[in-house]
Amino acid sequence: MINSSRRKNSALLIMIILCLSACNSLSNRQYAERWSMYRHIQRVAVFVQRFPVYLQMQGANRLGEDFIEDRTIFVGPWEPAEQINPRAVDVSDIDDELMGKIIVRALEKKGYQPFFADFTTFGSKAMDVGGIMTRYRIVDPSVEAFLFCFYSPTLYFADVQATPSDHAQRSYSLGEVVQLLNPGGSSVIWAGPRAARAPGQAISHAFIYVSMTFFTARDWRPLWKVADSHVGGRVRVALTRCPPAPTEKNYPADAGVIKRLMCQNLACRLRHLIPDAF
């Protein structure tokens, strides 16, 4: 009797395993069919270009104004921005090297083999995305995709009167921001309430804006795009809110905390925006 019960349990267990395997196979097949455009994409060349809040390129007045296309000027002469938020300053602590590391790490976690690429060796004063991809494939024919990214690390003063007068001409370090708002101090107030109700000597926000497009190297087809807060293409996971979330409380933050929050927020957004490698 006991042996009969064991045989029944064993048979039931085998049936469950077979059913799970079949379901998993069906799920994988549907997944493969839906995301077939990502097949065989591993090596990704990452290009980043700082887009300061106080500058603009010809035909690109604002970072998130449009998606990056193959005809987009990625390297070109800069000129003063026509408009700038009166409370905004560009944060110099977030540079190309750090941005490259954040994006490369995010791609690695998704299963890609990314590397930070250098386009400055091409020696051209003005170059569009298509031109960069063409030249880079000659240098490295094994590349399978390109990720182009404009980024703009921006901090907002709570009080427009506290914003430095030359914020439309240069970038500021977070250490400088702290000293401007709290001379001799080591931290500033990061205001939770809206700027209109925030303490005068405080910051209201610090954020890394990004515009990115992921191209296949074979035919330059864009698989997904991000232009500031706009997303185009087929992104697999819905973008969710990433910390720090809005709050009604004010809290002190030194330069290290502000930088860490800015970077962690971007890493969180990238986790939701970048699809898994196939």
Side-chain angles (χ1 to χ4, degrees):
M1 189 71 177
I2 295 177
N3 290 336
S4 175
S5 176
R6 287 179 177 174
R7 283 197 298 271
K8 288 181 179 179
N9 290 338
S10 298
L12 180 60
L13 179 60
I14 292 172
M15 288 178 64
I16 292 173
I17 293 173
L18 290 174
C19 287
L20 289 175
S21 298
C23 291
N24 186 56
S25 177
L26 177 61
S27 174
N28 287 342
R29 184 169 69 250
Q30 291 174 340
Y31 185 85
E33 291 172 353
R34 186 179 181 187
W35 305 107
S36 60
M37 70 283 287
Y38 289 92
R39 189 185 300 275
H40 306 310
I41 291 181
Q42 287 290 307
R43 282 180 51 78
V44 182
V46 177
F47 296 89
V48 299
Q49 177 76 289
R50 188 184 195 88
F51 200 123
V53 66
Y54 57 87
L55 294 179
Q56 66 182 32
M57 280 191 190
Q58 185 177 5
N61 298 324
R62 193 173 62 85
L63 175 82
E65 195 168 52
D66 201 359
F67 294 119
I68 297 175
E69 308 286 355
D70 57 3
R71 63 182 180 279
T72 300
I73 300 298
F74 197 73
V75 181
W78 294 92
E79 57 189 37
E82 294 179 359
Q83 294 182 334
I84 179 173
N85 188 303
R87 298 188 296 109
V89 299
D90 184 74
V91 177
S92 61
D93 302 59
I94 314 295
D95 56 14
D96 289 357
E97 182 179 2
L98 179 54
M99 275 298 297
K101 288 180 178 178
I102 293 173
I103 295 174
V104 164
R105 189 178 301 119
L107 286 164
E108 287 176 339
K109 289 182 178 179
K110 292 293 185 173
Y112 298 95
Q113 297 170 7
F115 54 95
F116 190 35
D118 183 13
F119 53 82
T120 59
T121 56
F122 295 153
S124 177
K125 293 183 178 180
M127 196 181 315
D128 61 22
V129 167
I132 295 175
M133 288 192 289
T134 298
R135 295 192 187 188
Y136 200 85
R137 284 210 72 187
I138 296 174
V139 176
D140 184 1
S142 66
V143 67
E144 293 159 338
F146 297 98
L147 176 63
F148 285 86
C149 175
F150 282 128
Y151 72 99
S152 181
T154 309
L155 178 143
Y156 295 89
F157 284 66
D159 182 2
V160 67
Q161 300 300 322
T163 309
S165 58
D166 61 347
H167 73 125
Q169 284 84 42
R170 73 177 185 93
S171 303
Y172 274 78
S173 71
L174 292 170
E176 288 180 290
V177 170
V178 170
Q179 291 307 307
L180 282 169
L181 294 175
N182 185 17
S186 60
S187 65
V188 295
I189 294 298
W190 187 318
R194 294 183 179 275
R197 296 187 290 113
Q201 298 301 102
I203 64 172
S204 61
H205 200 33
F207 194 76
I208 304 175
Y209 296 96
V210 292
S211 286
M212 304 180 293
T213 299
F214 190 82
F215 296 92
T216 61
R218 182 179 64 259
D219 55 10
W220 298 1
R221 179 168 47 150
L223 296 184
W224 54 269
K225 308 174 184 179
V226 176
D228 195 356
S229 59
H230 309 292
V231 178
R234 304 177 71 175
V235 178
R236 304 183 200 182
V237 183
L239 181 63
T240 60
R241 180 178 294 178
C242 292
T247 174
E248 288 302 310
K249 296 181 179 180
N250 299 324
Y251 54 92
D254 60 22
V257 167
I258 298 171
K259 181 178 179 179
R260 185 167 63 253
L261 287 174
M262 293 175 73
C263 293
Q264 289 177 347
N265 174 269
L266 176 59
C268 175
R269 285 148 53 208
L270 292 177
R271 185 172 71 249
H272 295 293
L273 285 170
I274 299 175
D276 297 328
F278 190 77

